[in-house]
Amino acid sequence: MLQVEQLNQYYGGSHILRDVSFDAPVGAVTCILGRNGVGKSTLLKCLMGQLAAKSGRIRWQGEDITRYAPHRRAGRGIAYVPQGREIFPRLTVEENLRMGLARFGGRRGRELPHEVFAMFPVLREMQQRRGGDLSGGQQQQLAIARALVGRPSLLILDEPTEGIQPSIIKQIGEVIKQLAQRGDMAILLVEQYYDFAEELADNYLVMARGEMVKAGSGAAMSADGVRELLAI
Ligand SMILES: Nc1ncnc2c1ncn2[C@@H]1O[C@H](COP(=O)(O)OP(=O)(O)O)[C@@H](O)[C@H]1O
Ligand SMILES: [Mg+2]
């Protein structure tokens, strides 16, 4: 389980994360919703260690990782698909995927697991194409596949549906469902696309101005008025 306690973060004098606390259990999709600029990506960067939290604590599987460098968190099985995907446009699809193997040595560090191609068949077809030649949706699939190649036990996704066509959104949703059903991964999904979040979330959290303002089970999102809350 991921446990976040009283996290605070600032950009200069602006207080961006305000005592953020939540849990994300293994075997479940925890969805964080919130409008533009409320601090969702900042929170994920703190979880990954790209930003040092000013105060608070981050625990993963009982271990305090608050002060770990990003590569050390990756070594603990935490993978992150940033907003805007950030694949390597000049490398081939296969080379991009191999980047995800970086935390392994030996044979495991050389062979791409077959299941990423089963999940995203288009990537097998396009293995020798440059990442930058793929469509936006294909690049998003590549970014998710690259994260999965590292066999994470915590997968963090920042707005994977942003700017993506509906058919690919559907495929990405199916993959997230499959991963959740396996039961051995915690999935933390940041989304602004309400319907996608509602379909996938086991638990939800709503963030506003750097604070968690509402939380509950995914099944209760509609009754809890989350859609209306996000429209305000
Ligand atoms: N590198 C930065 N320096 C200064 N302010 C930033 C930086 N990145 C984001 N911000 C500001 O912090 C707030 C939260 O941003 P962000 O975490 O990206 O929000 P979200 O992902 O919810 O849209 C916004 O007001 C944004 O303008
Ligand atoms: Mg963001």
Side-chain angles (χ1 to χ4, degrees):
M1 173 158 81
L2 174 72
Q3 295 165 291
V4 177
E5 291 163 21
Q6 305 274 307
L7 210 62
N8 282 278
Q9 181 61 30
Y10 298 76
Y11 285 127
S14 335
H15 198 171
I16 304 293
L17 300 179
R18 298 164 180 265
D19 287 332
V20 169
S21 300
F22 67 96
D23 294 341
V26 171
V29 178
T30 302
C31 195
I32 299 176
L33 297 109
R35 301 183 66 183
N36 260 330
V38 298
K40 303 181 299 297
S41 295
T42 301
L43 169 62
L44 299 191
K45 285 174 191 166
C46 287
L47 298 181
M48 251 352 261
Q50 292 186 353
L51 287 171
K54 273 284 176 315
S55 67
R57 198 186 302 278
I58 305 165
R59 277 204 194 85
W60 168 238
Q61 307 291 47
E63 187 176 355
D64 186 342
I65 62 165
T66 316
R67 302 288 154 212
Y68 284 14
H71 70 271
R72 209 165 156 208
R73 300 186 201 214
R76 292 296 189 279
I78 304 177
Y80 167 55
V81 181
Q83 189 169 10
R85 27 221 191 251
E86 295 178 18
I87 57 135
F88 299 99
R90 300 179 64 90
L91 299 185
T92 64
V93 165
E94 185 187 342
E95 288 163 344
N96 268 280
L97 290 172
R98 288 196 178 283
M99 292 290 179
L101 291 172
R103 82 178 177 106
F104 302 124
R107 183 160 162 233
R108 234 183 153 199
R110 288 191 299 272
E111 285 182 14
L112 291 172
H114 301 296
E115 68 245 29
V116 296
F117 294 121
M119 286 176 177
F120 299 115
V122 68
L123 297 181
R124 191 198 303 274
E125 291 159 31
M126 297 199 140
Q127 255 185 104
Q128 301 313 320
R129 301 275 285 278
R130 282 188 185 198
D133 293 340
L134 273 55
S135 73
Q138 290 164 345
Q139 289 185 21
Q140 186 63 269
Q141 290 173 298
L142 175 57
I144 296 170
R146 183 178 61 190
L148 293 175
V149 158
R151 300 179 194 278
S153 40
L154 170 58
L155 178 65
I156 299 175
L157 302 153
D158 196 351
E159 298 202 37
T161 69
E162 192 185 22
I164 307 276
Q165 67 196 76
S167 64
I168 295 188
I169 289 180
K170 203 162 165 232
Q171 289 174 32
I172 290 173
E174 288 305 322
V175 166
I176 293 173
K177 255 184 223 160
Q178 272 180 42
L179 294 170
Q181 278 164 6
R182 259 175 27 191
D184 57 359
M185 194 185 282
I187 301 173
L188 183 62
L189 172 66
V190 160
E191 256 309 328
Q192 289 205 62
Y193 179 14
Y194 177 86
D195 292 332
F196 185 78
E198 189 182 33
E199 192 173 321
L200 292 170
D202 293 296
N203 305 298
Y204 79 85
L205 298 144
V206 177
M207 207 171 162
R209 278 169 268 101
E211 286 180 275
M212 294 303 185
V213 294
K214 204 168 180 66
S217 78
M221 275 175 71
S222 169
D224 290 354
V226 173
R227 191 196 291 270
E228 294 73 20
L229 194 63
L230 294 169
I232 295 165

